[in-house]
Amino acid sequence: DGGITQSPKYLFRKEGQNVTLSCEQNLNHDAMYWYRQDPGQGLRLIYYSQIVNDFQKGDIAEGYSVSREKKESFPLTVTSAQKNPTAFYLCASSTIRDPAYEQYFGPGTRLTVT
Amino acid sequence: DQQVKQNSPSLSVQEGRISILNCDYTNSMFDYFLWYKKYPAEGPTFLISISSIKDKNEDGRFTVFLNKSAKHLSLHIVPSQPGDSAVYFCAASVSNYGQNFVFGPGTRLSVLP
């Protein structure tokens, strides 16, 4: 089945540690995205990538880093510089087309940092 | 400043009746809009979209209306079912500016049996 997988579903880390969230898609989509969701807020874009080996910052990129070495994979690292890392993180992918088309989302990873 | 607003955090509707979820936007460059449905601890799933060249799009029980002059869109669900209980996000994009969508804060719909 085609889709987006994120692992793990729940992740716990101590403050000051970097943590990497996995995102894999087998939809052959060119573009991939990372969002963060906090209670009572919409999804906020952290980073996106429209092609392998290239990515751009979204609205809230500070304290995060990404890589796009393969079309299928777009891991997100939450660094110790991120001041409020506890959140629900969502990865998405889409085709590149005009007009814009829908993004397909993974099941999300809930990160708790204590 | 929120570019996409969903001013009702929650909405309760009786099963079988119509649910109307509203979304307002401020950026007149937005020309493509989507609605997503999200259950707790899951990723959003795409429901329906509309391009600014249309003012209505239907898909089964779901209809989206777009009023460009008012910068307003709405999602109608008829008839509402208990399984429709979820958080609904409105998202907007400038279609020739990549694939980046701006999401509203969501409206939690509860359909009561």
Side-chain angles (χ1 to χ4, degrees):
Chain A
D1 280 13
I4 302 176
T5 56
Q6 290 185 244
S7 60
K9 194 165 179 66
Y10 299 95
L11 190 54
F12 298 88
R13 278 294 182 270
K14 294 286 188 189
E15 196 174 320
Q17 293 179 334
N18 292 356
V19 59
T20 297
L21 282 61
S22 165
C23 177
E24 305 276 333
Q25 55 99 0
N26 60 4
L27 300 167
N28 199 32
H29 285 167
D30 290 301
M32 296 186 74
Y33 312 81
W34 274 105
Y35 292 91
R36 168 183 173 139
Q37 187 190 12
D38 294 284
Q41 297 197 38
L43 282 63
R44 293 184 291 166
L45 183 65
I46 304 173
Y47 267 98
Y48 66 100
S49 167
Q50 297 193 332
I51 194 170
V52 173
N53 291 323
D54 188 41
F55 46 82
Q56 282 79 41
K57 293 181 180 179
D59 301 322
I60 54 165
E62 186 174 347
Y64 299 98
S65 65
V66 293
S67 63
R68 187 88 186 276
E69 297 176 2
K70 298 186 301 181
K71 186 176 183 178
E72 303 79 17
S73 179
F74 191 40
L76 172 75
T77 297
V78 184
T79 75
S80 56
Q82 168 49 234
K83 293 188 180 358
N84 297 297
T86 293
F88 188 54
Y89 290 88
L90 286 158
C91 178
S93 70
S94 73
T95 59
I96 300 290
R97 51 189 284 181
D98 181 22
Y101 208 62
E102 70 264 22
Q103 297 177 2
Y104 293 83
F105 284 84
T109 292
R110 181 164 298 281
L111 173 65
T112 303
V113 176
T114 56
Chain B
D1 184 34
Q2 280 190 335
Q3 295 188 71
V4 177
K5 304 177 186 182
Q6 294 176 257
N7 291 324
S8 298
S10 62
L11 174 68
S12 292
V13 169
Q14 210 68 34
E15 181 179 3
R17 308 294 291 267
I18 184 171
S19 295
I20 300 177
L21 296 99
N22 293 305
C23 178
D24 296 287
Y25 59 96
T26 57
N27 187 345
S28 57
M29 298 292 289
F30 287 145
D31 59 0
Y32 195 76
F33 305 88
L34 301 89
W35 283 93
Y36 283 88
K37 173 179 177 179
K38 184 181 181 301
Y39 294 116
E42 293 184 11
T45 54
F46 169 72
L47 264 181
I48 192 167
S49 64
I50 188 165
S51 163
S52 60
I53 61 173
K54 293 186 172 183
D55 54 19
K56 177 182 174 182
N57 190 26
E58 281 183 85
D59 185 359
R61 297 187 297 114
F62 302 92
T63 303
V64 56
F65 296 91
L66 175 62
N67 182 334
K68 291 185 287 294
S69 60
K71 296 192 185 71
H72 176 83
L73 63 156
S74 61
L75 174 69
H76 293 212
I77 306 173
V78 184
S80 301
Q81 299 174 354
D84 296 329
S85 297
V87 176
Y88 289 79
F89 291 100
C90 168
S93 170
V94 179
S95 62
N96 64 351
Y97 199 67
Q99 304 285 107
N100 295 342
F101 287 95
V102 179
F103 284 80
T107 295
R108 182 177 300 280
L109 173 66
S110 299
V111 179
L112 309 173

